[in-house]
């Protein structure tokens, strides 16, 4: 089939009668199907038949009009020759020489389009048919040399001739006709409308065409590679021609350069006098191709070019300036050729041109395509050149380089490789810059200035990275989800889902994207991390080079010179300090790029220790940790004064940054762990931390964790470098201890302050810090007393263990602890019962005491706890697998005790006392496989179920089953509660009976009701009743706790409401029975009624739940009061009548009783309960007025008895409630009421006036506040309230001399008198007792500390003396 087609094509093309248009169509078919026609054996036939025909068709004269059919036919035939398959060597070999001869003849006469095809085809044939065409290579090279020789004339004819004239060898009007510039609007429109722009285009002669010239260099290189034997001779011939071609310039362009040089400027682009811009572009392309040829020759034959090399830099710069902006490919090839030239060790010849290359008008030009796509290529070439000649750069060249590449560091080119390259060059320049400082003093200043410029640029880059962080994080997330490639770009905003644009997106939201979509899909987080790592790695060397540029050192005392003075750089100006501050601030902030690897901060954590373990200790990658260390090391190299100036202002900012990225804690850790910076940084850090110590107790766990960690690091520095850092901590240690104890009473999280003290005690223990021990010595008694009080009040195991550890590790020597040894006994017993670490600490402390103290001294101190202590010791006498250290230490201590250890061998037996003789309540249960029921105690498993309700499961494997077990526990509790409450068959008219009883109670008709307490029930056990009431109280409390469990909230709340309603109905009947009994005369035969569980146990359950650890249980107890109140209001018909029910009176008494309990949390419950009665339910003003004195006394006792070192919230709440009560209860009172000693106002003022002189300052403040409120409410003056009762205050003060009283009482009395004197109207008369008191006060103020107290240095004594004065 192919053979037949070849015959047909040959016949038709050879037909002389066929017109040119038809022949062109046939030739086009041959060209398009050449692969089929030249396949296999048909290739030889194709060549045999068609080559002669083609030769015949090409015999005619050349045509220089592109649209003529003859030109089209000739061009198509030459393209067929060009497309001939070259891999079938045997078939083509017989015809190769013939075709080469034909084409070489045509090159000399053809137009430029055809000549280019001829040249390319000859090159292909001579490369692939080396044997057949060996004799034709040299003539072809001679032809190319001839073309190069004529190029000078062609340039002159093309660019120097007048516009109206015609160039030699060209067709008329060739200079005037020009195609549009590539990319111009006319070209774009024409292509869209399919207009043939080649219409009537005149063509140049091939031998005078720049297009043909441009193909020659690559052809020569290809021939040299294929025919190596002809290379040596021809290189010598080509070298002068290369010089000739590269030195050629268009006349107008040369004049433009000369004029610009006269103006001391540069000229880039194409001169306006050049009218044939396209020809000029082809001319520059030809020269660039020649540059590539030159780069090829320089590899081997540079000796022939040695005289030409000095002029090469000028040629390179000129070509860069002359390259038209639309010739982006040409500029790219030129840049590649320059890079190859530089790589052949010919770099120094470019030294004089570096200033020109640093000008972006020369290097980049003004083309948009070049600017958007080739900046990295151009500047990487320049960076490579500068890097290799950096030691030979002049001062001005260095300055220009720093300027240019600092600017490039902030370039927005996609990716970071361009910025990284710029950064590396700047960092590598540091060595060369430092060498400038080896000369004159001015050069040293310049070198220092250049280095600071680089540091400033790096700081600005860090700042730019920080501004882009949120945008980078967003894009990185999209990149991970592959959304960038999947979602189409849409520039129309959807109102329902607005785009997540930020301040960076606005600069990139352009419809036409200049960068490659693949580049835009890169991960900006990873790119910026890579750049950040490179910048940090080079920074250390920068500061070392700054050290080389230090100014002359001032005279210094050799004893005060820092250890690393030789390695530091000094002499920084204020502006340079600002650069270093910027570098630190922005560099530290840039570590946020690693924050995506840290865990979620919103997860709940029980303590700051657990939070730090999850965010700081574990999740720091090796790369980040190394970078943090590198970053910190950078600032080691600045002198102490500059270091102080930088970090004094930056520590607060570093602290703020830690909230966003906690691993920045490694920076202060590194400074504190380095001997060179530790004292300076520790001093600044302590100063900052002391200003933040009141925030350590915040409920924000992240803030408290960071502060605690910083304190711990500071204390660690004292341990590491005790000689240098002990004086640093010394001024703060007293404040830390006293402030921690003081602030713990008001903090949201008091335990944080004791964690802080634990860190301090652990760091300065061990006996090495004499100065610190002396500073803590006056605080010792107060500290141990406070810790013992807290230990007795502790409710959680963690709190108890912490207080015990603080007691046992208090930083003091045993000799100083001896007067206070009794404070260590209770903590010692608790420690021996605690965890492994505390047991070890307790055993060490006990052994120390036994070793150093005699039995006569130690035994009386140990006597109060000796039973518990010995029992705890015996518990540790266990064999393996028990901790052998504890067992052996215990045995050693018992041995050291000698015979004393046998005094306590026989302990009294531990017996459980049962207060009643009959059987416990039981439930009959039948197990599977058994035939009969077995009785089980009712309370069996009850404590376990109650504990399960309030348990928080931390084990993830058990969390799924936890709701199920809580539900089962609640079912058991609710069943037990119902059993204890009992049930009865209600009559049909029960509701009517309840209503009638309510009416009787309200109207006082007690005769009609039955007497429920008429008979006595003496057979039932009262102790058993009380035991069951305790169980019922437990169940009620558990039911309230169950409402706080989300899964049980609904059923538990419903049950609690029902229980409150039930008890409200019972309380109605009880109230009636008690009212009837009260009206009767005394009868010795009447009893107390049937023995049953008291419904008022609900009040006890509510009060105890208000003291629970779980704050949610407080709300549940409050809701219970409200439920009972609502039920009572429903029964009695109105809320105004609820106060007639005695239950609320009993509830108030319970709360008042709780206020007088010893435990602080029970006091808190009492105060909270009274607050609920006063604010959350309305029992009426009259009811509150009747109980004002009782409630105020109870609350005032809370303020009095509340220890100073326990949480102050209880005391504050009591004071707030007192204010509420006084405002509400004295609303209708007047000053005239004070005239009667029986009035409520007189009684309350008489009570409060005593408290003005109380030894507790909080009580005094509360009393003063109370008088102010009463005066405000009744519209009177304070002195009017005090006058009737002032003798109650003054008589005790005047009765005894001040010296005979304790400090606290003295202070109270003096403050009371001061308060009275400060009130107008001469409340206190100036008489002899007052004068005596004032003289005593003056004598006390003037007395020496030793006269006033036996131990004036003890902290609390010293504070009391100060307050007294």
């Amino acid at each position: 089939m192919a053979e037949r087609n070849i015959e047909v094509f040959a016949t038709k093309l050879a037909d002389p009668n066929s017109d040119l248009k038809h022949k062109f169509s046939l030739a086009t078919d041959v060209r398009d199907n050449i692969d089929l026609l030249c396949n296999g054996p048909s290739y030889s036939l194709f060549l045999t038949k068609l080559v002669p025909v083609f030769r015949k068709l090409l015999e005619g004269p050349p045509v220089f009009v592109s649209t003529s059919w003859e030109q089209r036919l000739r061009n198509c035939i030459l393209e067929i020759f060009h497309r001939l398959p070259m891999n079938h060597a045997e078939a083509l070999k017989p015809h190769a020489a013939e075709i080469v001869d034909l084409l070489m003849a045509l090159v000399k006469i053809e137009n430029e389009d055809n000549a280019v095809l001829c040249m390319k085809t000859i090159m292909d044939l001579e490369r692939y048919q080396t044997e057949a065409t060996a004799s034709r290579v040299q003539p072809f090279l001679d032809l190319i040399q001839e073309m190069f020789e004529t190029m000078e004339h062609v340039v002159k004819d093309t660019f120097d001739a007048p516009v109206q004239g015609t160039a030699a060898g060209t067709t008329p009007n060739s200079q005037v006709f020009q195609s549009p510039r590539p990319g111009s609007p006319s070209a774009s429109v024409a292509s869209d409308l399919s207009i043939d722009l080649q219409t009537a285009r005149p063509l140049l002669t091939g031998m005078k065409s720049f297009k043909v010239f441009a193909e020659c260099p690559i052809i020569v290189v290809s021939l040299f590679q294929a025919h190596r034997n002809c290379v040596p001779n021809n290189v010598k011939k080509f070298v002068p021609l290369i010089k000739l071609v590269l030195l050629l310039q268009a006349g107008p362009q040369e004049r433009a350069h000369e004029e610009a040089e006269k103006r001391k400027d540069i000229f880039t682009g194409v001169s306006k006098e050049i009218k044939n811009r396209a020809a000029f572009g082809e001319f520059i392309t030809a020269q660039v191709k020649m540059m590539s040829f030159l780069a090829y020759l320089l590899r081997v034959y540079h000796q022939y070019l040695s005289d030409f090399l000095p002029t090469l830099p000028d040629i390179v710069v000129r070509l860069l300036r002359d390259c038209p902006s639309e010739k982006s490919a040409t500029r790219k090839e030129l840049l590649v050729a320059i890079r190859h030239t530089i790589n052949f060790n010919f770099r120094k010849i470019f030294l004089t041109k570096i200033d020109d290359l640093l000008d972006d008008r020369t290097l980049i030009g003004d083309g948009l395509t070049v600017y958007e796509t080739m900046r990295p290529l151009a500047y990487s070439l320049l960076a490579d050149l500068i890097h290799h000649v950096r030691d030979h750069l002049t001062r001005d060249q260095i300055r220009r380089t720093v300027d240019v590449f600092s600017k490039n560091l902030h370039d927005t080119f996609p990716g970071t490789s361009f910025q990284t390259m710029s950064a590396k060059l700047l960092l590598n320049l540091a060595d060369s810059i430092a060498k400038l400082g080896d000369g004159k003093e001015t050069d040293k200043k310049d070198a220092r200035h250049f280095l600071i410029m680089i540091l400033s640029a790096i700081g600005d880059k860090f700042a730019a990275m920080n501004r882009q962080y949120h945008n980078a994080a967003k894009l990185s997330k999209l990149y991970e989800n592959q959304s960038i490639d999947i979602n189409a770009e849409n520039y129309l905003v959807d109102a329902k889902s607005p785009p997540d644009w930020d301040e960076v997106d606005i600069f990139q939201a352009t419809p036409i994207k200049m960068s490659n979509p693949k580049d835009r899909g890169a991960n900006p987080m990873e790119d910026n991390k890579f750049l950040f790592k490179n910048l940090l790695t080079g920074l250390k060397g920068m500061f070392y080079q700054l050290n080389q540029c230090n100014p002359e050192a001032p005279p210094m005392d050799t004893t005060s010179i820092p250890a690393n003075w030789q390695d530091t750089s000094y002499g920084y100006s204020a502006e340079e300090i600002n650069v270093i501050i910027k570098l630190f601030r922005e560099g530290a902030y840039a570590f946020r790029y690693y924050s995506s690897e840290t865990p979620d901060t919103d997860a709940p954590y029980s303590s700051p220790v657990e939070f730090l373990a999850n965010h700081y200790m574990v999740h720091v990658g090796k790369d980040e940790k190394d970078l943090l260390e590198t970053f910190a090391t950078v600032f080691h190299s600045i002198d102490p004064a500059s270091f102080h100036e930088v970090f004094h202002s930056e520590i607060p900012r570093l602290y703020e940054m830690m909230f966003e990225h906690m691993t920045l804690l490694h920076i202060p850790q590194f400074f504190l762990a380095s001997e060179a910076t530790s004292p300076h940084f520790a001093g600044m850090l302590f100063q900052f931390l002391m200003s933040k110590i009141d925030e350590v107790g915040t409920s924000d766990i992240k803030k408290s964790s960071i502060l605690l960690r910083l304190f711990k690091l500071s204390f660690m520095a004292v341990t590491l470098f005790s000689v240098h850092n002990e004086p640093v901590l010394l001024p703060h240690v007293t404040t830390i201890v006293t402030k921690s104890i003081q602030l713990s009473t008001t903090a949201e999280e008091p335990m944080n302050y004791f964690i802080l003290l634990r860190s301090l005690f652990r760091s300065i223990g061990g006996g090495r810090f004499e100065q610190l021990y002396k500073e803590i010595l006056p605080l010792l008694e107060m500290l141990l007393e406070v810790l013992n009080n807290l230990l007795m009040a502790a409710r959680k195991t963690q709190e108890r263990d912490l207080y015990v550890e603080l007691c046992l590790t208090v930083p003091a020597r045993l000799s100083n602890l001896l007067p206070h040894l009794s404070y260590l006994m209770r903590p010692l017993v608790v420690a021996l019962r605690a965890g492994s670490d505390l047991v070890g600490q307790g055993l060490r402390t006990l052994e120390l005491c036994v070793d150093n103290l005699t039995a006569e001294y130690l035994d009386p101190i140990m006597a109060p706890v000796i039973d518990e202590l010995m029992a705890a010791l015996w518990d540790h006498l266990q064999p393996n697998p028990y901790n052998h250290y504890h067992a052996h230490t215990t045995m050693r201590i018992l041995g050291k005790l000698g015979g004393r250890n046998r005094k306590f061998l026989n302990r009294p037996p531990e017996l459980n006392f049962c207060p009643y003789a009959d059987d416990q309540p039981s439930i009959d249960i039948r197990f599977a496989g058994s035939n009969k029921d077995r009785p089980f105690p009712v309370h069996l498993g009850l404590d376990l179920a109650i504990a399960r309700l309030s348990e928080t499961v931390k084990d993830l494997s058990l969390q799924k089953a936890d709701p199920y077990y809580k539900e089962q526990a609640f079912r058991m509790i609710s069943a037990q509660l119902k059993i204890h409450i009992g049930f009865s068959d209600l009559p049909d008219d029960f509701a009517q009976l309840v209503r009638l009883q309510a009416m009787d109670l309200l109207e006082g008709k007690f005769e009609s009701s039955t007497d429920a307490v008429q008979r006595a029930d003496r057979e039932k056990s009262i102790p058993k009743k009380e035991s069951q009431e305790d169980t019922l109280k437990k169940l009620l409390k558990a039911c309230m706790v169950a409402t706080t469990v989300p899964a049980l909230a609904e059923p538990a709340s419903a049950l609690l409401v029902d229980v409150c309603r039930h008890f409200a109905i019972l309380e109605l009947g009880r109230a009636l029975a008690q009212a009837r009994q009260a009206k009767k005369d005394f009868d010795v035969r009447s009893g107390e009624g049937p023995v049953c569980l008291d419904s008022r146990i609900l009040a006890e359950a509510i009060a105890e739940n208000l003291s629970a650890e779980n704050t949610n249980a407080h709300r549940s107890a409050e809701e219970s009061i409200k439920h009972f109140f609502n039920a009572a209001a429903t029964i009695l018909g109105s809320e105004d009548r609820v106060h007639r029910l005695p239950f609320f009176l009993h509830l108030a008494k319970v709360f008042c009783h709780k206020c007088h309990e010893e435990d602080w949390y029970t006091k808190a419950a009492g105060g909270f309960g009274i607050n609920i009665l006063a604010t959350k339910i309305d029992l009426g003003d009259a009811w509150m007025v009747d109980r004002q004195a009782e409630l105020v006394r109870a609350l005032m006792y809370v303020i009095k008895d509340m220890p100073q070192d326990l949480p102050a919230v209880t005391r504050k709440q009591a004071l707030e409630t007192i204010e509420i009560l006084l405002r509400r209860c004295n609303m209708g009172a007047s000053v005239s009421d004070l005239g009667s000693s029986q009035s409520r106002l007189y009684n309350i003022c008489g009570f409060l006036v005593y408290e003005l002189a109380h030894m507790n300052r909080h009580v005094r403040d509360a009393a003063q506040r109370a008088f102010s409120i009463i005066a405000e409410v009744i519209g009177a003056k304070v002195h009017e309230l005090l006058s009737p009762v002032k003798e109650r205050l003054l008589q005790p003060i005047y009765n005894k001399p001040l010296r005979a009283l304790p400090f606290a009482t003295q202070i109270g009395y003096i403050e009371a008198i001061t308060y009275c004197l400060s009130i107008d109207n001469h409340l206190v008369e100036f008489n002899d007792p007052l004068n005596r008191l004032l003289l005593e006060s003056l004598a006390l103020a003037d007395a020496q500390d030793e006269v006033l107290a036996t131990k004036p240095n003890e902290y609390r004594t010293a504070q009391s003396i100060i307050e007294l004065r």
Side-chain angles (χ1 to χ4, degrees), residues 1203-1340:
Q1204 304 282 329
D1205 36 28
L1206 289 178
V1209 64
T1210 303
R1211 187 170 57 244
K1212 290 180 179 177
Q1213 186 192 52
L1215 179 58
E1216 290 171 5
T1217 310
I1218 288 174
E1219 293 179 9
I1220 293 168
L1221 286 171
L1222 292 175
R1223 289 184 186 279
R1224 183 174 178 180
C1225 298
N1226 294 287
M1227 195 69 72
S1230 64
V1231 182
S1232 60
D1233 294 344
L1234 290 169
S1236 169
S1237 61
Q1238 302 301 318
S1239 69
R1240 292 190 178 91
L1241 183 60
Y1242 185 90
N1243 289 334
I1244 196 71
C1245 289
F1247 164 70
L1248 290 173
V1249 78
Y1250 279 119
E1251 311 304 342
L1252 287 174
H1254 197 274
M1255 64 177 66
N1256 188 326
R1257 66 182 175 88
H1258 300 293
V1259 178
R1260 297 193 299 271
D1261 293 342
Q1264 293 174 15
R1265 176 71 180 148
F1267 276 114
S1268 301
I1269 290 171
I1270 295 173
E1272 177 189 337
V1273 170
I1274 68 173
K1277 300 291 185 181
V1278 174
H1279 70 86
E1280 295 177 283
L1281 300 177
L1282 290 173
S1283 292
V1285 293
K1286 67 179 182 180
E1287 290 305 320
R1288 297 188 184 189
L1289 172 66
L1290 298 177
Q1291 190 172 355
I1293 296 176
Y1294 292 156
N1295 279 347
K1296 267 193 175 183
L1298 287 179
R1299 246 177 227 280
L1301 301 172
F1303 274 136
T1305 307
Q1306 292 178 21
I1307 293 168
Y1309 282 0
I1310 292 173
E1311 190 168 325
I1313 293 296
T1314 305
Y1315 176 70
C1316 293
L1317 290 172
S1318 65
I1319 299 173
D1320 297 337
N1321 294 79
H1322 306 290
L1323 183 65
V1324 180
E1325 296 178 6
F1326 278 89
N1327 50 22
D1328 290 339
L1330 179 60
N1331 289 333
R1332 178 176 53 81
L1333 183 73
L1334 294 176
L1335 290 172
E1336 283 187 74
S1337 301
L1338 290 172
L1340 288 173

Side-chain angles (χ1 to χ4, degrees), residues 884-904:
H884 73 281
Y885 171 77
H886 296 163
H888 292 179
T889 307
T890 303
M891 183 62 75
R892 192 165 62 245
I893 291 171
L894 290 172
K896 290 177 180 179
L897 285 172
R900 287 179 287 165
N901 62 22
R902 292 191 291 278
K903 291 181 182 178
F904 313 101

Side-chain angles (χ1 to χ4, degrees), residues 621-676:
K622 185 179 183 302
D623 285 347
E624 184 183 4
K625 193 171 182 180
D626 291 345
L627 283 178
L628 282 164
E629 187 172 332
T630 302
F631 182 66
T633 308
V634 165
F635 300 93
H636 256 209
S637 305
I638 59 178
D639 65 286
S642 303
F643 184 86
H644 186 277
E645 193 170 350
V646 170
F647 287 99
H648 185 71
S649 63
E650 287 309 299
I651 284 178
R653 289 191 178 89
L654 179 63
Y655 168 71
E656 295 296 333
M657 292 177 204
M658 289 173 188
F659 289 105
E660 197 160 349
H661 191 49
M662 286 197 64
T663 53
L664 289 176
L665 281 163
H666 280 279
I667 293 175
Q669 179 179 352
F670 186 81
F671 287 141
L672 292 167
S674 169
E675 188 175 5

Side-chain angles (χ1 to χ4, degrees), residues 1144-1165:
F1144 291 100
L1145 179 58
H1146 174 73
L1147 191 60
K1149 289 180 179 178
V1150 169
F1151 288 149
C1152 289
H1153 180 70
K1154 294 294 180 185
C1155 288
H1156 289 81
E1157 291 280 354
E1158 183 180 359
D1159 294 327
W1160 70 269
Y1161 45 85
T1162 311
K1163 293 180 189 294

